[in-house]
Structures are given as structure tokens and as C-alpha cells.
Amino acid sequence: MAKVHCVMQAKGGTGKSLVAALLAQFLARGGAEPLCIDVDPVNATLSGYRGLAVQTLPWHASNFFDARAFDAMLQRIAQTSRNVVVDSSASACLPLLHYLAGPRARDRLARICHRWVVHTLVAGGPAFLDTLNGFAQLAARWPEATRFVLWLNPYWGALSHQGQEWKHCPPTRSTGAAYKPCCACRR
């Protein structure tokens, strides 16, 4: 069974594309090049990595959200036996989340026999609460069986709020999601 690694965080500048690139390189190094999809309508950073065969997803044209592009993405995912890495941007995160959690995709997702792993970033410093709340919102919308990987990024500051470490803050405790923390970078 293939895994779909979906990198999502509604806050910009947290390192989503770096995480997607690291995942893709790790999977490729294991011998099976993953299907890489860049959903960023503005920067498409993952597409800039020359060693990765990245497909871009033109879902946003003339300020119009085209769900058919996400339908096509799910079709590509359903047809592959390879692992998949999806890099969403801050601007694509919420439309992608609403699409995947909505009725249009629900039946398609049920038929795709791949295991979904959502990777999200929790940044320290001023973005800490925004990114931690972003994780809680993602966890609330995905099915219960979804596995989450939290990439902890303390580069801009502590991963805490009012003296509480990230894992003891209300957004983390209230999710009930199965997650595994890992550290993306150290200062």
C-alpha cells in the first residue's frame, strides 16, 4: 500500500516545501522515486528541485478555484502504486483541506487504498500559536485514522506559550489525533 505524504500548513514561511523536498529525497533514496505534486499556485518551490520529477497542479486561475484540478490530482494518486508527496502552500492549504474534507472528495478518498500521512509544521516564536492552531484545525478535519507528523521548527523561537511546552498547550491536547513529533531544524 502506497502512502500519500501531504505537507500542509496555512501559515506561510514555515518550511513546507523544504519538508516536502526532504521527504521526496528520502523516499527516492530508498529506491522508489515518489510521485511529487506541487499545489502552490504562486511559487511552486518544490518544482524548482531539479532532481525531482515534480508535477504542478494548476488549480487556481483568474482568482477562481477549480475543483476539477483537485479531482485530477486524486485520479493521479489513485492510479499510482508509488508513494506520493504533495506540497501545498499557505494559499493552497485551506482550499485543498476543504476539498479533501468535503463531499466531492469523500467517495474518491474511500476508494483510494493508499494510507494518508499529513505532515504539518509548528514554528516557534511569533508564529507558534498560529501554527499550533493550524495543526489542530487540520486534525479536526481529517478522518480519525489519519496519521500526523509534526515538524517542530524552533528556528524563530521557543516552541512554547506562556511557559507551556508545545505538547502541553490546549491545541495539541485537544486534537485527539495520532501524531509523531520530529525536529526539522535546530538553531
Side-chain angles (χ1 to χ4, degrees), residues 14-23 25 45-46 49 87 151 184-185:
T14 58
K16 290 178 292 295
S17 294
L18 173 63
V19 167
L22 291 171
L23 285 167
Q25 291 173 59
T45 305
L46 187 63
Y49 288 89
D87 180 24
W151 292 75
C185 66

Side-chain angles (χ1 to χ4, degrees), residues 50-167:
R50 293 186 186 142
L52 301 173
V54 179
Q55 300 176 12
T56 57
L57 188 71
W59 64 271
H60 188 272
S62 303
N63 294 324
F64 176 71
F65 166 69
D66 186 0
R68 292 173 299 177
F70 288 147
D71 291 341
M73 178 187 75
L74 282 186
Q75 186 67 28
R76 286 185 224 160
I77 291 170
Q79 292 174 342
T80 189
S81 59
R82 300 184 294 168
N83 288 317
V84 180
V85 176
V86 178
D87 180 24
S88 80
S89 63
S91 58
C93 182
L94 293 178
L96 180 59
L97 177 61
H98 289 298
Y99 171 81
L100 292 172
R104 184 176 182 128
R106 194 171 296 131
D107 292 339
R108 287 183 173 97
L109 288 172
R111 289 191 305 268
I112 297 174
C113 295
H114 300 334
R115 184 169 180 207
W116 288 75
V117 180
V118 177
H119 297 258
T120 192
L121 292 94
V122 175
F128 174 70
L129 283 179
D130 288 339
T131 55
L132 194 62
N133 284 321
F135 160 59
Q137 290 173 11
L138 287 171
R141 298 294 303 266
W142 281 85
E144 225 176 274
T146 305
R147 183 170 169 223
F148 286 85
V149 176
L150 297 181
W151 292 75
L152 305 175
N153 185 350
Y155 185 80
W156 296 109
L159 294 162
S160 62
H161 178 68
Q162 296 178 344
Q164 283 189 314
E165 191 178 353
W166 68 271
K167 59 186 163 191

